[in-house]
Amino acid sequence: MKNLISFSCVAILLLTGSCKKNKDAHVPPDLAFKTTAGYTSSDATILNGDSILVGVVITKKEDDLRTLNISYAYDGASTSVSHLTYSMTAAEYTGFNHDYYLVTRNQTGTEKWIFTVTDRDGNLTQKSITLTVQ
């Protein structure tokens, strides 16, 4: 009987030790702003009612790309408002490259523009540009 209990304990330890799940690394997509001449890729001060050109380059890392959302928050607000949501086409699942013109309000203050890309598994990457409008 003692051997049976010992064998059962060893079997249980072996079975529970071998049942570890492989953890998904959850690698989010890559999101970069274009930095060549004419593009705004970092915080800036501009005039009210002015526009800037922002270019994004998005690359799949783990799963197919699904959406790009551009939102904004005025004057330090803690919540943002969606400006544009773009759903990727099958041809764009592995990479996406596009330019956007953003027009500021006719009012002084700050505008935080937030770019969020999401892949098929829900992994996301977020980058932002804060504009000080004078």
Side-chain angles (χ1 to χ4, degrees):
M1 183 74 170
K2 193 174 188 180
N3 286 340
L4 180 61
I5 293 173
S6 294
F7 175 76
S8 297
C9 289
V10 169
I12 290 171
L13 287 173
L14 288 173
L15 288 174
T16 57
S18 65
C19 292
K20 289 183 181 175
K21 288 186 176 181
N22 291 334
K23 289 191 176 185
D24 185 354
H26 295 294
V27 180
D30 186 50
L31 169 64
F33 292 127
K34 294 179 184 178
T35 59
T36 53
Y39 289 96
T40 299
S41 59
S42 60
D43 297 351
T45 300
I46 62 174
L47 299 174
N48 62 17
D50 206 354
S51 66
I52 62 166
L53 177 62
V54 177
V56 295
V57 178
I58 302 168
T59 309
K60 165 187 167 177
K61 289 297 182 182
E62 181 180 54
D63 292 308
D64 290 345
L65 303 172
R66 288 299 189 241
T67 61
L68 170 67
N69 179 271
I70 302 173
S71 58
Y72 59 87
Y74 292 147
D75 303 319
S78 59
T79 57
S80 62
V81 176
S82 181
H83 172 72
L84 170 88
T85 299
Y86 179 79
S87 296
M88 309 293 179
T89 65
E92 298 166 328
Y93 285 169
T94 58
F96 180 76
N97 175 344
H98 201 71
D99 297 340
Y100 298 95
Y101 279 98
L102 304 178
V103 180
T104 63
R105 306 177 282 174
N106 279 324
Q107 179 178 334
T108 59
T110 60
E111 299 184 8
K112 183 176 183 179
W113 289 87
I114 305 149
F115 296 76
T116 307
V117 61
T118 308
D119 70 13
R120 183 185 64 216
D121 270 358
N123 301 315
L124 61 90
T125 298
Q126 214 173 54
K127 291 203 175 191
S128 64
I129 294 174
T130 299
L131 304 174
T132 301
V133 183
Q134 297 181 340

